[in-house]
Amino acid sequence: MTAVPTLPPSDGRPELLVLRAIKLGDLLVAVPALHALRRAFPDHRISLATTAWLAPVVELLPDVDVHLAQHGLDHPIGAPAGAIDVAVNLHGAGPESSDLVAALGARRVIGHADPTNGFDGPGWPDGVHERDRWTRLLAWHGIAADPDDVGIARPATPPVAEGAAVVHVGAFHGARHWPTDRFAAVVSGLRARGLDVVLTGGADDVERAAAVAQAAGLAPGAVLAGVLPLQDFAGVIAAAALVVTVDTGAAHLASAYGIPSVVVFGPAPPEAWGPPATGPHVVLTDAAVRRGDVFADDPDPALLAIGPDDVLAAVDTLAVGRRPAVTDGTAAQ
């Protein structure tokens, strides 16, 4: 699926547009709401206005028919006024997102309360999980939604690594940078447990991944950081035996595919961003020392409070084994 700048010509169906213009993890926590919207509006064409670089993952969301490129909130949504039947604000409740939705002139708006634009809805709740935030919003508007309904489709192409323990060393900000020597100790522990290990991360994480690989004695071919397109990255997660990561998009992909995971949380609270409690996931953090600055350059104390032994002990509580190859595009169960 290609992200397009403007709404394509009508295919005859009424139009439903969803605004959610942030990053990978932010998109994936909205998946339960997208599933619910598809069930509630089976005859609508659903357009998702979100970040263009997420197109390879949007392609794995069967509920979405059109990906509208939306680079933040500083420009209008690419749909003409009056073309949208139902507009859904899954981005926020502030004037920036609400005004963009209002400009669409939709027949029906689903969002939080906004007296300025005359939108009815619930007040913005604090202290709730992001998945719950959006499913509760839909429930207020009469649409049943399950916050644990997180599954997305698997990439159709075979993964470049199957049955491996994926150790994701990356994060956008230094506040989530767990030390490389701790990652290396985890890698060594996983290999001692008989698991093959690959390292993933973005283009900015190549040096960190190389340092981990060198310290743990991994072959260069096990370093996948900076070389995987986004959908190939999702495919490696979908075929993994285990995922070890800090609080990143990798953790949300593990949730989406039901892959056992150990997630180390730093500045963000797991109560708001953690994996479903019903899944094979372990969260590690120390809330008592959390600083909470997600944009800080140095690691959050809640992250540093977790050591390699903590992660490996968590791994030992999970049923981890080599997973069979997955080569089709079926949805995760």
mmCIF file of all heavy atoms in Angstrom, residues 171-209:
data_model
loop_
_atom_site.group_PDB
_atom_site.id
_atom_site.type_symbol
_atom_site.label_atom_id
_atom_site.label_comp_id
_atom_site.label_asym_id
_atom_site.label_seq_id
_atom_site.Cartn_x
_atom_site.Cartn_y
_atom_site.Cartn_z
ATOM 1 N N ALA A 171 16.158 2.514 19.744
ATOM 2 C CA ALA A 171 15.120 3.371 20.326
ATOM 3 C C ALA A 171 15.356 4.762 19.769
ATOM 4 O O ALA A 171 16.488 5.138 19.451
ATOM 5 C CB ALA A 171 15.175 3.374 21.842
ATOM 6 N N PHE A 172 14.271 5.542 19.635
ATOM 7 C CA PHE A 172 14.393 6.870 19.033
ATOM 8 C C PHE A 172 15.183 7.831 19.902
ATOM 9 O O PHE A 172 15.923 8.674 19.399
ATOM 10 C CB PHE A 172 13.008 7.453 18.754
ATOM 11 C CG PHE A 172 12.434 7.046 17.429
ATOM 12 C CD1 PHE A 172 11.339 6.204 17.360
ATOM 13 C CD2 PHE A 172 13.000 7.503 16.239
ATOM 14 C CE1 PHE A 172 10.817 5.829 16.129
ATOM 15 C CE2 PHE A 172 12.484 7.134 15.009
ATOM 16 C CZ PHE A 172 11.379 6.291 14.953
ATOM 17 N N HIS A 173 15.054 7.725 21.212
ATOM 18 C CA HIS A 173 15.681 8.697 22.100
ATOM 19 C C HIS A 173 16.555 7.996 23.140
ATOM 20 O O HIS A 173 16.316 6.835 23.498
ATOM 21 C CB HIS A 173 14.619 9.541 22.801
ATOM 22 C CG HIS A 173 13.752 10.321 21.850
ATOM 23 N ND1 HIS A 173 14.198 11.433 21.186
ATOM 24 C CD2 HIS A 173 12.461 10.123 21.455
ATOM 25 C CE1 HIS A 173 13.229 11.901 20.419
ATOM 26 N NE2 HIS A 173 12.166 11.123 20.561
ATOM 27 N N GLY A 174 17.548 8.736 23.628
ATOM 28 C CA GLY A 174 18.482 8.173 24.589
ATOM 29 C C GLY A 174 17.839 7.711 25.872
ATOM 30 O O GLY A 174 18.394 6.849 26.572
ATOM 31 N N ALA A 175 16.688 8.246 26.209
ATOM 32 C CA ALA A 175 16.000 7.838 27.435
ATOM 33 C C ALA A 175 15.673 6.359 27.440
ATOM 34 O O ALA A 175 15.484 5.761 28.506
ATOM 35 C CB ALA A 175 14.719 8.654 27.615
ATOM 36 N N ARG A 176 15.610 5.743 26.232
ATOM 37 C CA ARG A 176 15.292 4.319 26.123
ATOM 38 C C ARG A 176 16.509 3.481 25.706
ATOM 39 O O ARG A 176 16.351 2.321 25.340
ATOM 40 C CB ARG A 176 14.157 4.111 25.117
ATOM 41 C CG ARG A 176 12.792 4.588 25.585
ATOM 42 C CD ARG A 176 11.731 4.198 24.554
ATOM 43 N NE ARG A 176 10.389 4.427 25.029
ATOM 44 C CZ ARG A 176 9.667 5.520 24.766
ATOM 45 N NH1 ARG A 176 10.208 6.491 24.041
ATOM 46 N NH2 ARG A 176 8.440 5.641 25.221
ATOM 47 N N HIS A 177 17.692 4.056 25.756
ATOM 48 C CA HIS A 177 18.890 3.318 25.344
ATOM 49 C C HIS A 177 19.432 2.490 26.515
ATOM 50 O O HIS A 177 20.150 2.996 27.377
ATOM 51 C CB HIS A 177 19.963 4.279 24.842
ATOM 52 C CG HIS A 177 19.735 4.731 23.439
ATOM 53 N ND1 HIS A 177 20.554 5.638 22.798
ATOM 54 C CD2 HIS A 177 18.780 4.394 22.534
ATOM 55 C CE1 HIS A 177 20.111 5.848 21.573
ATOM 56 N NE2 HIS A 177 19.035 5.108 21.389
ATOM 57 N N TRP A 178 19.061 1.224 26.534
ATOM 58 C CA TRP A 178 19.640 0.308 27.518
ATOM 59 C C TRP A 178 21.103 0.083 27.133
ATOM 60 O O TRP A 178 21.428 -0.044 25.934
ATOM 61 C CB TRP A 178 18.856 -1.004 27.482
ATOM 62 C CG TRP A 178 18.882 -1.805 28.748
ATOM 63 C CD1 TRP A 178 18.696 -1.358 30.009
ATOM 64 C CD2 TRP A 178 19.073 -3.223 28.842
ATOM 65 N NE1 TRP A 178 18.762 -2.408 30.904
ATOM 66 C CE2 TRP A 178 18.995 -3.561 30.208
ATOM 67 C CE3 TRP A 178 19.293 -4.234 27.910
ATOM 68 C CZ2 TRP A 178 19.130 -4.875 30.676
ATOM 69 C CZ3 TRP A 178 19.425 -5.540 28.359
ATOM 70 C CH2 TRP A 178 19.360 -5.846 29.729
ATOM 71 N N PRO A 179 22.023 0.011 28.078
ATOM 72 C CA PRO A 179 23.454 -0.080 27.740
ATOM 73 C C PRO A 179 23.791 -1.287 26.872
ATOM 74 O O PRO A 179 23.242 -2.382 27.045
ATOM 75 C CB PRO A 179 24.128 -0.170 29.119
ATOM 76 C CG PRO A 179 23.167 0.520 30.047
ATOM 77 C CD PRO A 179 21.798 0.160 29.525
ATOM 78 N N THR A 180 24.726 -1.089 25.946
ATOM 79 C CA THR A 180 25.081 -2.162 25.010
ATOM 80 C C THR A 180 25.714 -3.357 25.721
ATOM 81 O O THR A 180 25.537 -4.491 25.280
ATOM 82 C CB THR A 180 26.037 -1.638 23.922
ATOM 83 O OG1 THR A 180 27.188 -1.052 24.545
ATOM 84 C CG2 THR A 180 25.353 -0.602 23.048
ATOM 85 N N ASP A 181 26.446 -3.120 26.817
ATOM 86 C CA ASP A 181 27.046 -4.260 27.505
ATOM 87 C C ASP A 181 25.978 -5.148 28.136
ATOM 88 O O ASP A 181 26.140 -6.375 28.234
ATOM 89 C CB ASP A 181 28.070 -3.796 28.547
ATOM 90 C CG ASP A 181 27.479 -2.927 29.642
ATOM 91 O OD1 ASP A 181 26.476 -2.218 29.374
ATOM 92 O OD2 ASP A 181 27.999 -2.946 30.774
ATOM 93 N N ARG A 182 24.841 -4.571 28.516
ATOM 94 C CA ARG A 182 23.749 -5.373 29.072
ATOM 95 C C ARG A 182 23.062 -6.175 27.957
ATOM 96 O O ARG A 182 22.718 -7.342 28.154
ATOM 97 C CB ARG A 182 22.754 -4.480 29.796
ATOM 98 C CG ARG A 182 23.390 -3.692 30.946
ATOM 99 C CD ARG A 182 22.345 -3.010 31.808
ATOM 100 N NE ARG A 182 22.962 -2.065 32.725
ATOM 101 C CZ ARG A 182 22.336 -1.443 33.701
ATOM 102 N NH1 ARG A 182 21.026 -1.637 33.895
ATOM 103 N NH2 ARG A 182 22.960 -0.589 34.488
ATOM 104 N N PHE A 183 22.874 -5.527 26.808
ATOM 105 C CA PHE A 183 22.337 -6.277 25.680
ATOM 106 C C PHE A 183 23.262 -7.449 25.323
ATOM 107 O O PHE A 183 22.809 -8.561 25.044
ATOM 108 C CB PHE A 183 22.176 -5.368 24.461
ATOM 109 C CG PHE A 183 20.868 -4.637 24.389
ATOM 110 C CD1 PHE A 183 20.835 -3.253 24.333
ATOM 111 C CD2 PHE A 183 19.663 -5.330 24.355
ATOM 112 C CE1 PHE A 183 19.623 -2.573 24.248
ATOM 113 C CE2 PHE A 183 18.453 -4.654 24.271
ATOM 114 C CZ PHE A 183 18.429 -3.279 24.220
ATOM 115 N N ALA A 184 24.563 -7.201 25.332
ATOM 116 C CA ALA A 184 25.520 -8.261 24.991
ATOM 117 C C ALA A 184 25.419 -9.416 25.980
ATOM 118 O O ALA A 184 25.483 -10.589 25.589
ATOM 119 C CB ALA A 184 26.933 -7.695 24.952
ATOM 120 N N ALA A 185 25.271 -9.110 27.258
ATOM 121 C CA ALA A 185 25.145 -10.169 28.262
ATOM 122 C C ALA A 185 23.870 -10.973 28.041
ATOM 123 O O ALA A 185 23.857 -12.207 28.208
ATOM 124 C CB ALA A 185 25.156 -9.561 29.663
ATOM 125 N N VAL A 186 22.794 -10.307 27.642
ATOM 126 C CA VAL A 186 21.550 -11.019 27.339
ATOM 127 C C VAL A 186 21.738 -11.916 26.128
ATOM 128 O O VAL A 186 21.299 -13.073 26.121
ATOM 129 C CB VAL A 186 20.397 -10.015 27.108
ATOM 130 C CG1 VAL A 186 19.181 -10.706 26.503
ATOM 131 C CG2 VAL A 186 20.012 -9.349 28.422
ATOM 132 N N VAL A 187 22.390 -11.388 25.089
ATOM 133 C CA VAL A 187 22.646 -12.205 23.897
ATOM 134 C C VAL A 187 23.433 -13.454 24.263
ATOM 135 O O VAL A 187 23.101 -14.569 23.828
ATOM 136 C CB VAL A 187 23.392 -11.378 22.831
ATOM 137 C CG1 VAL A 187 23.886 -12.273 21.704
ATOM 138 C CG2 VAL A 187 22.492 -10.279 22.282
ATOM 139 N N SER A 188 24.470 -13.301 25.056
ATOM 140 C CA SER A 188 25.263 -14.461 25.473
ATOM 141 C C SER A 188 24.411 -15.456 26.242
ATOM 142 O O SER A 188 24.513 -16.672 26.049
ATOM 143 C CB SER A 188 26.453 -14.001 26.322
ATOM 144 O OG SER A 188 27.328 -13.178 25.580
ATOM 145 N N GLY A 189 23.551 -14.955 27.124
ATOM 146 C CA GLY A 189 22.671 -15.838 27.881
ATOM 147 C C GLY A 189 21.671 -16.567 27.001
ATOM 148 O O GLY A 189 21.367 -17.746 27.236
ATOM 149 N N LEU A 190 21.138 -15.886 25.997
ATOM 150 C CA LEU A 190 20.192 -16.536 25.081
ATOM 151 C C LEU A 190 20.883 -17.627 24.265
ATOM 152 O O LEU A 190 20.321 -18.709 24.048
ATOM 153 C CB LEU A 190 19.565 -15.492 24.147
ATOM 154 C CG LEU A 190 18.682 -14.434 24.820
ATOM 155 C CD1 LEU A 190 18.218 -13.410 23.791
ATOM 156 C CD2 LEU A 190 17.485 -15.084 25.502
ATOM 157 N N ARG A 191 22.094 -17.347 23.817
ATOM 158 C CA ARG A 191 22.841 -18.363 23.050
ATOM 159 C C ARG A 191 23.175 -19.552 23.945
ATOM 160 O O ARG A 191 23.142 -20.702 23.496
ATOM 161 C CB ARG A 191 24.105 -17.733 22.469
ATOM 162 C CG ARG A 191 23.805 -16.625 21.456
ATOM 163 C CD ARG A 191 25.082 -16.007 20.926
ATOM 164 N NE ARG A 191 25.748 -16.914 19.991
ATOM 165 C CZ ARG A 191 27.009 -16.771 19.593
ATOM 166 N NH1 ARG A 191 27.753 -15.774 20.081
ATOM 167 N NH2 ARG A 191 27.534 -17.615 18.737
ATOM 168 N N ALA A 192 23.470 -19.300 25.202
ATOM 169 C CA ALA A 192 23.743 -20.402 26.126
ATOM 170 C C ALA A 192 22.499 -21.257 26.348
ATOM 171 O O ALA A 192 22.614 -22.439 26.696
ATOM 172 C CB ALA A 192 24.242 -19.847 27.463
ATOM 173 N N ARG A 193 21.343 -20.683 26.106
ATOM 174 C CA ARG A 193 20.074 -21.425 26.224
ATOM 175 C C ARG A 193 19.681 -22.092 24.918
ATOM 176 O O ARG A 193 18.575 -22.614 24.782
ATOM 177 C CB ARG A 193 18.970 -20.476 26.710
ATOM 178 C CG ARG A 193 19.091 -20.111 28.198
ATOM 179 C CD ARG A 193 18.325 -18.831 28.521
ATOM 180 N NE ARG A 193 18.268 -18.582 29.980
ATOM 181 C CZ ARG A 193 19.270 -18.095 30.685
ATOM 182 N NH1 ARG A 193 20.420 -17.802 30.092
ATOM 183 N NH2 ARG A 193 19.140 -17.884 31.999
ATOM 184 N N GLY A 194 20.573 -22.072 23.932
ATOM 185 C CA GLY A 194 20.335 -22.774 22.677
ATOM 186 C C GLY A 194 19.584 -21.997 21.629
ATOM 187 O O GLY A 194 19.141 -22.580 20.629
ATOM 188 N N LEU A 195 19.448 -20.691 21.809
ATOM 189 C CA LEU A 195 18.703 -19.878 20.859
ATOM 190 C C LEU A 195 19.643 -19.183 19.879
ATOM 191 O O LEU A 195 20.712 -18.689 20.268
ATOM 192 C CB LEU A 195 17.888 -18.811 21.596
ATOM 193 C CG LEU A 195 16.691 -19.322 22.399
ATOM 194 C CD1 LEU A 195 16.233 -18.267 23.385
ATOM 195 C CD2 LEU A 195 15.553 -19.708 21.472
ATOM 196 N N ASP A 196 19.262 -19.176 18.603
ATOM 197 C CA ASP A 196 19.929 -18.306 17.646
ATOM 198 C C ASP A 196 19.473 -16.878 17.913
ATOM 199 O O ASP A 196 18.320 -16.644 18.271
ATOM 200 C CB ASP A 196 19.566 -18.697 16.215
ATOM 201 C CG ASP A 196 20.065 -20.084 15.847
ATOM 202 O OD1 ASP A 196 21.111 -20.492 16.386
ATOM 203 O OD2 ASP A 196 19.401 -20.744 15.030
ATOM 204 N N VAL A 197 20.363 -15.922 17.732
ATOM 205 C CA VAL A 197 20.054 -14.533 18.043
ATOM 206 C C VAL A 197 20.340 -13.662 16.828
ATOM 207 O O VAL A 197 21.372 -13.810 16.171
ATOM 208 C CB VAL A 197 20.878 -14.032 19.249
ATOM 209 C CG1 VAL A 197 20.572 -12.554 19.531
ATOM 210 C CG2 VAL A 197 20.599 -14.877 20.488
ATOM 211 N N VAL A 198 19.399 -12.740 16.537
ATOM 212 C CA VAL A 198 19.650 -11.676 15.571
ATOM 213 C C VAL A 198 19.409 -10.348 16.262
ATOM 214 O O VAL A 198 18.594 -10.242 17.184
ATOM 215 C CB VAL A 198 18.776 -11.800 14.310
ATOM 216 C CG1 VAL A 198 19.114 -13.087 13.544
ATOM 217 C CG2 VAL A 198 17.295 -11.749 14.648
ATOM 218 N N LEU A 199 20.127 -9.334 15.809
ATOM 219 C CA LEU A 199 20.012 -7.994 16.367
ATOM 220 C C LEU A 199 19.306 -7.087 15.368
ATOM 221 O O LEU A 199 19.678 -7.042 14.193
ATOM 222 C CB LEU A 199 21.393 -7.422 16.686
ATOM 223 C CG LEU A 199 22.276 -8.228 17.630
ATOM 224 C CD1 LEU A 199 23.633 -7.538 17.801
ATOM 225 C CD2 LEU A 199 21.604 -8.410 18.993
ATOM 226 N N THR A 200 18.311 -6.366 15.832
ATOM 227 C CA THR A 200 17.589 -5.441 14.966
ATOM 228 C C THR A 200 17.651 -4.037 15.531
ATOM 229 O O THR A 200 17.976 -3.818 16.698
ATOM 230 C CB THR A 200 16.118 -5.868 14.791
ATOM 231 O OG1 THR A 200 15.482 -5.938 16.072
ATOM 232 C CG2 THR A 200 16.018 -7.223 14.098
ATOM 233 N N GLY A 201 17.308 -3.084 14.682
ATOM 234 C CA GLY A 201 17.313 -1.676 15.041
ATOM 235 C C GLY A 201 17.219 -0.864 13.769
ATOM 236 O O GLY A 201 17.241 -1.406 12.662
ATOM 237 N N GLY A 202 17.123 0.438 13.911
ATOM 238 C CA GLY A 202 17.026 1.316 12.764
ATOM 239 C C GLY A 202 18.384 1.728 12.247
ATOM 240 O O GLY A 202 19.431 1.260 12.715
ATOM 241 N N ALA A 203 18.362 2.639 11.284
ATOM 242 C CA ALA A 203 19.610 3.103 10.679
ATOM 243 C C ALA A 203 20.514 3.787 11.697
ATOM 244 O O ALA A 203 21.744 3.744 11.573
ATOM 245 C CB ALA A 203 19.286 4.051 9.525
ATOM 246 N N ASP A 204 19.924 4.403 12.709
ATOM 247 C CA ASP A 204 20.726 5.092 13.722
ATOM 248 C C ASP A 204 21.270 4.149 14.787
ATOM 249 O O ASP A 204 22.006 4.588 15.680
ATOM 250 C CB ASP A 204 19.885 6.172 14.407
ATOM 251 C CG ASP A 204 19.484 7.294 13.461
ATOM 252 O OD1 ASP A 204 20.205 7.505 12.464
ATOM 253 O OD2 ASP A 204 18.451 7.940 13.717
ATOM 254 N N ASP A 205 20.916 2.876 14.695
ATOM 255 C CA ASP A 205 21.310 1.913 15.730
ATOM 256 C C ASP A 205 22.404 0.949 15.270
ATOM 257 O O ASP A 205 22.728 0.004 15.982
ATOM 258 C CB ASP A 205 20.088 1.096 16.163
ATOM 259 C CG ASP A 205 18.944 1.967 16.619
ATOM 260 O OD1 ASP A 205 19.185 2.882 17.429
ATOM 261 O OD2 ASP A 205 17.806 1.746 16.161
ATOM 262 N N VAL A 206 22.951 1.195 14.088
ATOM 263 C CA VAL A 206 23.928 0.255 13.527
ATOM 264 C C VAL A 206 25.154 0.137 14.420
ATOM 265 O O VAL A 206 25.650 -0.975 14.689
ATOM 266 C CB VAL A 206 24.321 0.681 12.100
ATOM 267 C CG1 VAL A 206 25.461 -0.189 11.573
ATOM 268 C CG2 VAL A 206 23.120 0.599 11.166
ATOM 269 N N GLU A 207 25.666 1.255 14.909
ATOM 270 C CA GLU A 207 26.864 1.207 15.763
ATOM 271 C C GLU A 207 26.563 0.480 17.071
ATOM 272 O O GLU A 207 27.395 -0.300 17.561
ATOM 273 C CB GLU A 207 27.380 2.614 16.032
ATOM 274 C CG GLU A 207 28.004 3.284 14.819
ATOM 275 C CD GLU A 207 28.650 4.607 15.161
ATOM 276 O OE1 GLU A 207 28.744 4.939 16.376
ATOM 277 O OE2 GLU A 207 29.061 5.319 14.229
ATOM 278 N N ARG A 208 25.396 0.729 17.655
ATOM 279 C CA ARG A 208 25.033 0.038 18.891
ATOM 280 C C ARG A 208 24.936 -1.464 18.650
ATOM 281 O O ARG A 208 25.429 -2.264 19.455
ATOM 282 C CB ARG A 208 23.692 0.571 19.418
ATOM 283 C CG ARG A 208 23.789 1.920 20.086
ATOM 284 C CD ARG A 208 22.415 2.488 20.451
ATOM 285 N NE ARG A 208 21.622 1.562 21.245
ATOM 286 C CZ ARG A 208 21.762 1.368 22.553
ATOM 287 N NH1 ARG A 208 22.703 2.015 23.215
ATOM 288 N NH2 ARG A 208 20.973 0.530 23.198
ATOM 289 N N ALA A 209 24.327 -1.852 17.552
ATOM 290 C CA ALA A 209 24.195 -3.274 17.249
ATOM 291 C C ALA A 209 25.557 -3.913 17.015
ATOM 292 O O ALA A 209 25.810 -5.045 17.466
ATOM 293 C CB ALA A 209 23.294 -3.458 16.032
#
